[in-house]
Amino acid sequence: MNIFIMVLVVLFMGAYYMLSSPGQRVINHETEYAVARSDMRAIAECTMAAHNAAIRESDFNDICTQQYNIKSEFICLNANLGISKCEIVRNRKPAFSYIITTTGPLDGSEYNQMLEILDEYYSDTVSFGIFLNNSIISGGNKSKQTVPAAIISSLKLSDGQLVYMTQYDIPDTPTEYSAPDSADIICPAGAIKTYRFGRWQCIGYNTKHDCGGDTIWDSDLMECVADESRKPLCAAQQTAVMVDNVWECINPFPEKSCPDNMIARLNYATLEWECVADPTNTPDTKKCPVISGMATSGGLGATLSIQTTSCTDCERIITDPDTCISVCVPDPGRIHDEKCYPGGANSCDGAIYFGFPNYSYIANVGDVVGKTVPLDRAHSQNRRFNCLKCDRGIDESRSFPPYIAVCK
């Protein structure tokens, strides 16, 4: 009988030990932790979904928003961090624009579990965390972001709320263009149709740029003609001819035989040779008084004209005794003067040339007679000495320093 009672006691004690053992309590504890962790993750996922829907301006009507008291609002601040309207007023946007999503306050015992969720699943989101002491505590980088006082007061934030704050830019108001209502018009030659000031108009366009080479637009003929101002001054045995809309100095060999005191000259219009009077046989008639430097003087009873041509410090004046025309020509002696050539001639890596303004001007400079002087875009016409830098070097056969410099 005693043996039977002892067996019952042993069985009773074993059952009691199994039911109240530490292993059973650990299982219950881990189950409770997993349930709490699942709840925290559900709150975070619902907050993230509601916030993304607010950014996309779409509706998120899941039951979780009511269960966890989740709300999304647009908050805008001015430069003084005060609440302002989230709209463009007089073409001025608010200084700061935010989309803020909040939840109901969490219990203090749930802070650590929520931070673990944020650290594991939202570690790259800095402005998503628990609101504590006027700051958002995130889980990933253990950092915090301060919330402006105006936002705290407007949303009535309290410690323990899960807050997601994103800054955004208010889009510009799209410009609306009204379609032209007026009837179509037909513009004459030399004009182009354009819509201006609410109606169609015919506006003349600069057709000069449409002419290539050494040609220019003639508004009377309405076509491109040779630009005489670009006609080069050729050598004694050369003639300027338009070849493919570009002036070129050619060295022709005429077959035409002319009588004495006449020479053969190419007719540019017909490109045929004709005999004209030899200009070298024209008697030299002096029409102007003798001019010495800048002073004007002449014989007794001569009519003198006051010199009005003004030259720069880099030039010297020359007066044609036949035409009484005075021009300013470059002075090679001033090429090392910093006023004429800033930085000095030694600082030029390429070659030096003078910026002639036009071919009529060049015709009065005896030093360049018979030479081709370029007046294209690469050469300035500023009546000063300039430096020309060429990638392939200077063409010495076509250059004449310090007046002319031509690239290869």
Side-chain angles (χ1 to χ4, degrees), residues 192-206:
I192 187 173
K193 181 181 67 175
T194 183
Y195 190 75
R196 298 177 59 193
F197 309 112
R199 62 187 179 90
W200 285 108
Q201 298 181 14
C202 291
I203 304 297
Y205 60 94
N206 188 2

Side-chain angles (χ1 to χ4, degrees), residues 71-308:
K71 300 178 182 178
S72 297
E73 297 189 32
F74 291 83
I75 300 293
C76 296
L77 305 178
N78 54 28
N80 298 325
L81 299 182
I83 300 295
S84 65
K85 294 182 178 180
C86 291
E87 59 185 19
I88 301 176
V89 180
R90 296 179 181 177
N91 295 328
R92 297 185 62 181
K93 299 180 181 180
F96 304 96
S97 307
Y98 296 96
I99 300 176
I100 302 177
T101 303
T102 60
T103 68
L106 302 176
D107 188 79
S109 60
E110 299 174 334
Y111 289 175
N112 290 335
Q113 293 176 340
M114 180 57 74
L115 291 176
E116 290 179 0
I117 296 296
L118 297 176
D119 186 13
E120 181 176 355
Y121 298 102
Y122 308 101
S123 58
D124 57 342
T125 307
V126 179
S127 58
F128 185 26
I130 301 176
F131 180 77
L132 290 174
N133 298 325
N134 301 333
S135 300
I136 297 176
I137 310 299
S138 60
N141 49 18
K142 303 298 187 295
S143 63
K144 63 180 180 179
Q145 179 177 352
T146 303
V147 181
I151 295 180
I152 298 175
S153 176
S154 177
L155 299 181
K156 298 179 181 180
L157 298 180
S158 59
D159 290 348
Q161 286 184 276
L162 193 62
V163 178
Y164 195 171
M165 184 170 66
T166 300
Q167 188 172 359
Y168 75 101
D169 186 21
I170 296 178
D172 296 327
T173 303
T175 304
E176 297 181 358
Y177 298 94
S178 58
D181 298 329
S182 58
D184 196 3
I185 59 175
I186 300 176
C187 296
I192 187 173
K193 181 181 67 175
T194 183
Y195 190 75
R196 298 177 59 193
F197 309 112
R199 62 187 179 90
W200 285 108
Q201 298 181 14
C202 291
I203 304 297
Y205 60 94
N206 188 2
T207 55
K208 179 180 179 180
H209 298 296
D210 297 336
C211 298
D214 293 330
T215 59
I216 190 173
W217 181 258
D218 192 320
S219 57
D220 296 330
L221 300 177
M222 298 299 291
E223 64 180 9
C224 293
V225 297
D227 187 356
E228 296 295 331
S229 65
R230 292 180 174 269
K231 183 178 179 181
L233 182 63
C234 300
Q237 301 299 326
Q238 293 182 334
T239 305
V241 178
M242 289 289 292
V243 179
D244 295 333
N245 294 331
V246 177
W247 285 111
E248 289 189 5
C249 288
I250 63 175
N251 191 14
F253 298 94
E255 298 179 355
K256 191 175 185 63
S257 179
C258 296
D260 295 338
N261 298 326
M262 299 188 72
I263 61 173
R265 186 182 65 180
L266 183 65
N267 189 320
Y268 304 131
T270 62
L271 291 181
E272 294 180 356
W273 291 97
E274 59 185 8
C275 293
V276 296
D278 188 356
T280 59
N281 296 332
T282 304
D284 189 8
T285 304
K286 303 294 183 182
K287 302 185 180 71
C288 294
V290 178
I291 298 177
S292 176
M294 293 295 294
T296 303
S297 60
L300 184 63
T303 301
L304 305 181
S305 60
I306 303 300
Q307 187 63 245
T308 58

